C-alpha cells in the first residue's frame, strides 16, 4: 500500500509518498519564507495556493497516480490553526473524492518515527529542536512522553528572533552558526528549570549583548548556552529512562555544533547517536505518510469527524498501538 502524507503545521508545506514497507518514493517540501517571521494566515494562504502543485509533484516523483494511493495521512497538530486546517482540508478532499481512508497524525511523533525508519535507532530519546517546538520525547509506558520542553519559545524561534533583531535576516539558525565558528565564547544566562528549558531570557540577553560585544562572540555564546541546555535535558532523560540512544530531529538539528555536542554526550555514555539526513530532519510529508502507515497497520481508523485539527495536540495523548 502507498500512503500520501501531507504536512502543513507551520511555514513549510510538504507532500510525501511512502510504501507500507517504509520505502520513501517522494518527499517534496515547499517553504514559505516571510521576511518578518511567520504570519499564520499568510502561511496558510501559501499552503492553499501551493497544495495542488506540491501533491502533483510528489506523485510525479513517486511515478504514481492518485488512484494508486491507498491511504492519506495529514499532520493533525500541534501547529498553527490556519495552516493545519488548510492541510487537513486537502487531505479530507482527497479521502472523500477518491474514497480512501484518512488518518490524522501527531507531528512530533512523526519526527520520531521517521528517525527510527531512517536510522538504526530503535528506542531513542529524541531531542526535537525546530522553529516551533523544543521537546525531549521518549517512549515509556505505552506512550510517547515529553520528558522536558521549553517553557516559552522554541530554540529555533530564539535563533530566528535574535537574528532578526540584530539584522542577520531570516532564518536565523544558519546565520548564527556561520558567525559562531568565528567567535569566542561569551557567557550568557543558562536556564534549565527541572527538566524544562527557557530561551526567552537568553534571547533578551543575547540581543542586549550584541550592542557592546562582537556579534561572532554573542553567536558563539548563544549557541553554546542553548545547545548545552538541550543536551543536558536529553542526557537526564536518557539516565532516567535507561535508554541508550539519542536521536536528533527538527530544523535546528542540522547545526554542526549541536550535533557535535549531542554526539559527545552520547559517546561519553556509550550510547548510540543518530541524525537522519537533512530532508528528513525538518518538517516533511514523508514522515507524516510513514506514521500514517504505522497507525493504519495497527488498526487505527479515523472518520472525517475525527479529523478536526488540534493546535495543542500533546504527544502523550496518542495511544501507541503500533509498538
Ligand atoms: P523546522 O521548524 O524544523 O522546519 O526548522 C526551522 C528552524 O531551524 C528555524 O528556526 C531555523 O533557524 C533553524 N535552523 C535551520 N538551519 C539551522 C542551523 N544550521 N543551525 C541552527 N538552526 C538552524
Ligand atoms: Mg517539526
Amino acid at each position: 500500500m502507498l500512503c500520501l502524507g501531507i504536512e502543513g503545521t507551520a511555514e513549510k508545506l510538504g507532500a510525501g509518498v511512502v510504501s507500507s514497507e517504509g520505502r520513501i518514493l517522494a518527499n517534496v517540501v515547499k517553504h514559505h519564507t516571510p521576511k518578518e517571521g511567520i504570519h499564520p494566515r499568510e502561511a496558510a494562504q501559501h499552503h492553499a495556493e501551493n497544495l495542488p502543485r506540491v501533491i502533483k509533484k510528489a506523485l510525479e516523483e513517486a511515478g504514481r497516480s492518485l488512484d494508486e494511493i491507498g491511504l492519506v495521512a495529514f499532520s493533525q497538530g500541534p501547529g498553527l490553526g490556519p495552516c493545519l486546517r488548510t492541510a487537513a482540508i486537502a487531505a479530507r478532499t482527497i479521502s472523500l473524492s477518491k474514497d480512501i481512508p484518512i488518518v490524522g497524525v501527531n507531528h512530533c511523533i512523526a519526527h520520531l518515527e521517521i528517525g527510527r525508519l531512517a536510522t538504526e535507532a530503535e528506542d531513542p530519546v529524541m531531542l526535537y529542536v525546530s522553529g516551533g517546538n523544543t521537546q525531549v520525547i521518549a517512549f515509556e509506558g505505552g506512550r510517547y512522553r515529553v520528558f522536558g520542553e521549553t517553557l516559552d519559545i522554541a530554540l529555533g524561534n530564539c535563533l530566528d528572533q535574535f537574528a532578526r533583531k540584530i539584522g542577520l535576516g531570516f532564518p536565523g539558525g544558519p546565520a548564527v552558526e556561520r558567525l559562531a565558528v568565528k567567535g569566542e565564547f561569551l557567557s550568557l544566562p543558562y536556564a534549565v528549570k527541572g527538566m524544562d528549558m527557557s530561551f526567552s531570557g537568553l534571547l533578551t540577553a543575547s540581543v542586549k549583548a550584541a550592542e557592546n560585544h562582537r556579534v561572532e562572540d554573542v553567536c558563539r555564546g548563544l549557541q553554546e548556552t542553548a545547545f548545552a541546555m538541550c543536551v543536558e535535558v536529553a542526557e537526564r532523560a536518557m539516565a532516567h529512562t535507561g535508554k541508550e540512544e539519542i536521536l536528533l530531529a527538527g530544523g535546528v538539528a542540522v547545526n554542526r555544533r549541536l550535533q557535535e555536542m549531542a554526539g559527545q554526550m552520547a559517546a561519553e555514555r556509550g550510547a548510540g547517536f543518530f541524525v537522519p539526513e537533512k530532508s528528513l530532519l525538518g518538517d516533511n510529508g514523508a514522515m507524516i505518510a510513514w506514521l500514517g502507515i504505522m497507525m493504519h497497520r495497527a488498526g487505527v481508523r479515523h472518520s472525517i469527524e475525527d479529523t478536526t485539527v488540534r493546535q495543542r495536540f500533546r504527544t502523550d495523548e496518542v495511544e501507541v498501538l503500533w509498538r
Side-chain angles (χ1 to χ4, degrees), residues 140-296:
E140 195 166 81
R143 300 219 171 201
Y144 282 107
R145 298 184 194 276
V146 178
F147 286 86
E149 64 190 316
T150 179
L151 295 169
D152 40 56
I153 56 173
L155 172 53
N157 190 241
C158 173
L159 298 170
D160 291 339
Q161 282 201 54
F162 169 74
R164 196 167 64 236
K165 285 182 174 150
I166 69 159
L168 298 177
F170 181 88
V176 171
E177 179 171 26
R178 272 193 303 275
L179 289 165
V181 288
K182 294 185 259 174
E184 301 282 328
F185 176 74
L186 180 78
S187 180
L188 289 164
Y190 183 99
V192 172
K193 303 175 183 183
M195 283 291 279
D196 293 323
M197 298 152 267
S198 162
F199 296 102
S200 65
L202 176 60
L203 168 62
T204 308
S206 301
V207 172
K208 201 154 186 320
E211 289 169 9
N212 50 13
H213 290 87
R214 293 198 322 147
V215 63
E216 293 87 343
D217 300 347
V218 182
C219 289
R220 175 85 183 268
L222 172 56
Q223 277 203 169
E224 295 296 310
T225 307
F227 296 168
M229 286 161 52
C230 298
V231 173
E232 179 195 332
V233 173
E235 178 167 27
R236 284 163 57 196
M238 291 170 80
H240 175 76
T241 56
K243 295 195 193 294
E244 293 176 345
E245 297 170 334
I246 178 164
L247 171 73
L248 297 189
V252 182
V254 303
N255 187 288
R256 291 270 172 81
R257 181 62 186 141
L258 176 61
Q259 292 185 8
E260 192 177 57
M261 289 167 75
Q264 191 180 342
M265 178 272 281
E268 282 168 11
R269 299 182 62 81
F273 171 64
F274 302 96
V275 191
E277 61 167 272
K278 194 174 173 184
S279 65
L280 298 175
L281 267 181
D283 295 346
N284 65 88
M287 70 181 193
I288 304 302
W290 176 233
L291 179 52
I293 282 174
M294 295 180 100
M295 290 171 69
H296 189 261

Side-chain angles (χ1 to χ4, degrees), residues 87-104:
I89 289 167
R92 283 181 211 128
T93 307
I94 291 168
S95 168
L96 289 170
S97 65
K98 290 286 170 185
D99 196 24
I100 48 180
I102 184 169
V103 57

Side-chain angles (χ1 to χ4, degrees), residues 7 9-10 78 107-108 111 128-133 249-251 281-284 287:
E7 158 60 31
T9 52
H107 176 92
C108 307
H111 273 291
Y128 170 32
V129 277
S130 72
N133 293 285
L281 267 181
D283 295 346
N284 65 88
M287 70 181 193

Side-chain angles (χ1 to χ4, degrees), residues 2-6 15-18 55 58-59 66 69 71-74 94 289:
L2 296 179
C3 178
L4 171 68
I6 302 174
V17 179
V18 177
I55 291 173
L59 290 168
L66 199 50
I69 299 295
L71 175 69
V72 57
F74 71 100
I94 291 168

